[in-house]
Amino acid sequence: MEATHEVTNQPPPLTGHDVFGADAALVEAVGRHAPAAGRAELHALGQLAGSAEAQRWAVEADRQGPVLRTHDRFGHRVDEVDFHPSWHRLMATAVEHGLHAAPWASPGPAAHAVRAAKFLVWSQLEAAHLCPVSMTYAAVPALRTDAAVAAGWEPLLTSSAYDPGLRPPATKAGALAGMAMTEKQGGSDVRANTTRAEPAGGGWYRLTGHKWFCSAPMNDVFLVLAQAPGGLTCFVLPRVLDDGGRNAVRLQRLKDKLGNRANASAEIELGGALAQRLGDEGRGVATIIEMVAATRLDCVLGSAALLRRAVAEATWHAAHRSAFGSRLADSELMRAVLADLALESEAATALAMRLAASVDAASDPHERALRRIGLPLAKYWVCKRTPAAVAEALECLGGNGYVEESGMPRLYREAPLNSIWEGAGNIQALDLLRVLAREPDAVAAWRTEVEAAKGHDRRLDDALAEVTATLMNGVRTAGSHTAGSTAAAGVGQARVLAGQLAVLLQASLLVRFAPPAVADAFCASRLDARHGVYGALPAGLDTAAIVYRATPEAP
């Protein structure tokens, strides 16, 4: 057939680049929070994440997702999940680089900040496989509630060896952890849990019940909640017992999810499954609180990574595509959209890395208090903003972005997940109200952090004064209620207040550490006006500098 056209005006694929080195905001954040960290591993991971080979792994793992195998060919119950080889390549890389547990195995200076930077880099490639990685990271501090239980599992969970497959723990080189908290009648209200836990002796119990969401059911061990005689309690549930027998954990079906398709999520039946108590009876929520905090941090990191990947794709496309006689990136309207998206991404990265650094300084009262208030704020705001930002970035590619091969639909399907996982928006907003009513040290830590930028931008100072007045009125209101009231600032305004506090925290970080063009544009668009549709920036901003900073360079 005679050729009808020559292909022109199509951007080259965004491959062969260093995902870490191309992200100026992340490179600078690592310099602030982990100045002594070796950069070689971050650059190596970034180069792998930007390679064509690894991008093929991501596509294959997503398109050929997990398959549940309940029985073997003889009819024996096996309850296993089979994955494409590319899933295992992604997992092996994440574990080898310590994304699952390096800070617990080697708790040196800035260990959590470095791990967060790696998470931000590798998540941009394929987000779904970071679910079991994240839960393993979060499980370790919870297991440390009981030194004896931790001693049995922590060496395996912190190992840098990826060793998939259901076998007795003692025979494995490494293990991964999951969780199964929620049930169909309760959802986020874990106290509505109906799974029963009957003592079996020696700190072991038999669990009977149905878990509506079991994340990463192929993992080796799970933290679960169940009703013991003394109330809601946390348990450590192995998939395979020490004698090699399969525990009574039945995988009923895998969830058919909107996104996160490379990862398995299951409904499970516990038919008298053996589990070890973790912490005291009746203290289940208190026992897993550190796990909740760690997974919330990873939700923020994951959303920040999705934002950055979307911005990289959009700016790369605009830098190499022409329309109406000029490059898209030179169009004033397009540049405003790209700059606005870049602001969202940079602010998310700065906040996520700041909170990761607070984990490294957990013994510092200010840092501990800042993490307490900062995590629900960031979890609410960054995760809530991500779906709209990814949709706008997809639109920058036009029809090309709507086609599966571009990779943008996979980002778009993934974008809502982190806002839902580990407590959706309302849960985070209500948690903020609890902080305001009960934890003045956390409120003071937020104010100290924001006031570090005071005097450098009038808009920030004005917004801080307005929100401080709201907070002071809320504290007085809360004082007129019974102890433990969440009435501070009004439940109906909790989302508004969470957004305001999160944006001010982001603004403070950018005013102090980002280039003037970035800080000026963020304050002008997020503090001077109600920020709505992306691209509706005020006039007079240096959008070209912002877009140039956010655009990956050709390898």
Side-chain angles (χ1 to χ4, degrees):
M1 181 180 293
E2 184 179 352
T4 59
H5 66 281
E6 180 184 356
V7 177
T8 61
N9 196 30
Q10 286 286 347
L14 181 52
T15 59
H17 72 295
D18 177 358
V19 170
F20 172 68
D23 189 346
L26 180 56
V27 170
E28 292 168 12
V30 171
R32 288 194 299 274
H33 301 303
R39 303 293 182 88
E41 188 177 2
L42 280 165
H43 283 292
L45 189 63
Q47 288 165 355
L48 181 57
S51 70
E53 180 184 28
Q55 291 186 28
R56 188 186 73 250
W57 299 346
V59 171
E60 290 172 347
D62 180 75
R63 291 188 178 176
Q64 301 179 57
V67 176
L68 174 61
R69 185 160 48 90
T70 57
H71 297 77
D72 67 14
R73 69 190 185 96
F74 302 106
H76 302 122
R77 188 92 194 202
V78 293
D79 295 288
E80 295 191 4
V81 183
D82 295 330
F83 291 85
H84 190 274
S86 287
W87 164 272
H88 295 298
R89 296 185 184 105
L90 293 166
M91 288 294 300
T93 303
V95 171
E96 288 164 5
H97 284 270
L99 275 67
H100 68 307
W104 311 122
S106 304
H112 290 279
V114 171
R115 181 257 175 191
K118 293 178 183 178
F119 197 96
L120 279 163
V121 168
W122 195 240
S123 292
Q124 292 182 49
L125 176 65
E126 201 289 315
H129 79 286
L130 273 301
C131 176
V133 169
S134 177
M135 287 187 297
T136 303
Y137 169 71
V140 173
L143 287 169
R144 288 178 175 177
T145 301
D146 187 317
V149 176
W153 282 105
E154 190 168 332
L156 284 172
L157 295 177
T158 58
S159 167
S160 59
Y162 174 60
D163 189 2
L166 296 180
R167 299 191 305 280
T171 69
K172 300 200 70 175
L176 295 171
M179 68 171 87
M181 305 295 180
T182 58
E183 300 184 359
K184 51 182 174 283
Q185 73 283 351
S188 294
D189 183 8
V190 294
R191 295 187 184 277
N193 192 307
T194 62
T195 297
R196 304 189 315 276
E198 300 173 354
W204 288 82
Y205 292 65
R206 289 198 176 274
L207 307 188
T208 303
H210 184 109
K211 294 293 182 181
W212 190 236
F213 274 100
C214 174
S215 300
M218 61 287 183
N219 284 2
D220 301 280
V221 63
F222 295 83
L223 268 64
V224 301
L225 293 174
Q227 298 287 356
L232 189 64
T233 305
C234 187
F235 294 92
V236 178
L237 174 75
R239 282 294 313 273
V240 180
L241 302 173
D242 289 339
D243 63 5
R246 297 289 177 94
N247 210 351
V249 179
R250 303 292 181 246
L251 277 55
Q252 299 298 78
R253 63 170 175 164
L254 299 186
K255 299 289 191 179
D256 186 6
K257 297 171 292 184
L258 168 67
N260 202 250
R261 301 185 74 86
N263 178 49
S265 301
E267 288 178 44
I268 63 172
E269 291 281 353
L270 304 177
L274 281 167
Q276 198 170 10
R277 192 184 72 236
L278 185 65
D280 296 331
E281 285 193 5
R283 297 282 296 166
V285 173
T287 300
I288 64 168
I289 199 67
E290 281 300 313
M291 188 174 194
V292 170
T295 48
R296 284 182 178 178
L297 174 60
D298 277 5
C299 286
V300 180
L301 291 167
S303 287
L306 285 170
L307 279 169
R308 172 57 198 166
R309 173 66 186 274
V311 168
E313 292 286 352
T315 55
W316 178 262
H317 179 88
H320 295 86
R321 177 88 165 173
S322 297
F324 307 108
S326 64
R327 284 192 322 153
L328 286 178
D330 295 329
S331 159
E332 185 176 356
L333 277 174
M334 177 59 80
R335 197 165 60 224
V337 173
L338 296 172
D340 211 354
L341 291 170
L343 293 175
E344 198 72 48
S345 172
E346 180 147 356
T349 296
L351 181 53
M353 286 297 295
R354 177 65 185 89
L355 293 175
S358 72
V359 182
D360 283 311
S363 60
D364 183 312
H366 169 76
E367 296 294 324
R368 188 168 58 250
L370 180 65
R371 185 179 69 142
R372 174 65 186 98
I373 191 171
L375 280 177
L377 291 179
K379 169 72 166 65
Y380 171 79
W381 188 248
V382 174
C383 299
K384 189 67 68 181
R385 298 283 291 174
T386 298
V390 172
E392 194 69 54
L394 183 154
E395 187 177 320
C396 291
L397 277 68
N400 290 334
Y402 203 69
V403 174
E404 194 69 36
E405 287 177 318
S406 72
M408 298 302 287
R410 176 157 52 89
L411 296 183
Y412 187 55
R413 289 193 298 271
E414 191 75 21
L417 173 64
N418 288 314
S419 190
I420 297 168
W421 190 27
E422 203 54 66
N426 285 348
I427 299 297
Q428 307 307 316
L430 291 172
D431 193 23
L432 170 64
L433 294 190
R434 282 191 290 273
V435 172
L436 297 180
R438 305 175 186 176
E439 302 184 47
D441 289 350
V443 181
W446 173 88
R447 186 168 179 175
T448 297
E449 192 73 16
V450 176
E451 286 182 344
K454 195 171 182 179
H456 291 86
D457 190 288
R458 172 196 56 78
R459 296 158 298 195
L460 188 151
D461 293 348
D462 291 347
L464 176 60
E466 180 181 344
V467 172
T468 298
T470 300
L471 289 175
M472 293 303 296
N473 181 63
V475 170
R476 288 192 294 270
T477 302
S480 66
H481 288 69
T482 58
S485 169
T486 59
V491 172
Q493 293 299 302
R495 282 182 168 230
V496 173
L497 189 57
Q500 289 174 326
L501 267 62
V503 169
L504 273 167
L505 199 51
Q506 290 179 323
S508 172
L509 291 167
L510 296 184
V511 166
R512 284 182 283 160
F513 303 119
V518 172
D520 177 47
F522 188 86
C523 291
S525 59
R526 272 65 170 178
L527 299 179
D528 259 2
R530 291 190 177 273
H531 187 257
V533 176
Y534 285 102
L537 292 175
L541 300 176
D542 191 352
T543 54
I546 298 169
V547 173
Y548 177 79
R549 174 176 168 82
T551 306
E553 295 182 4

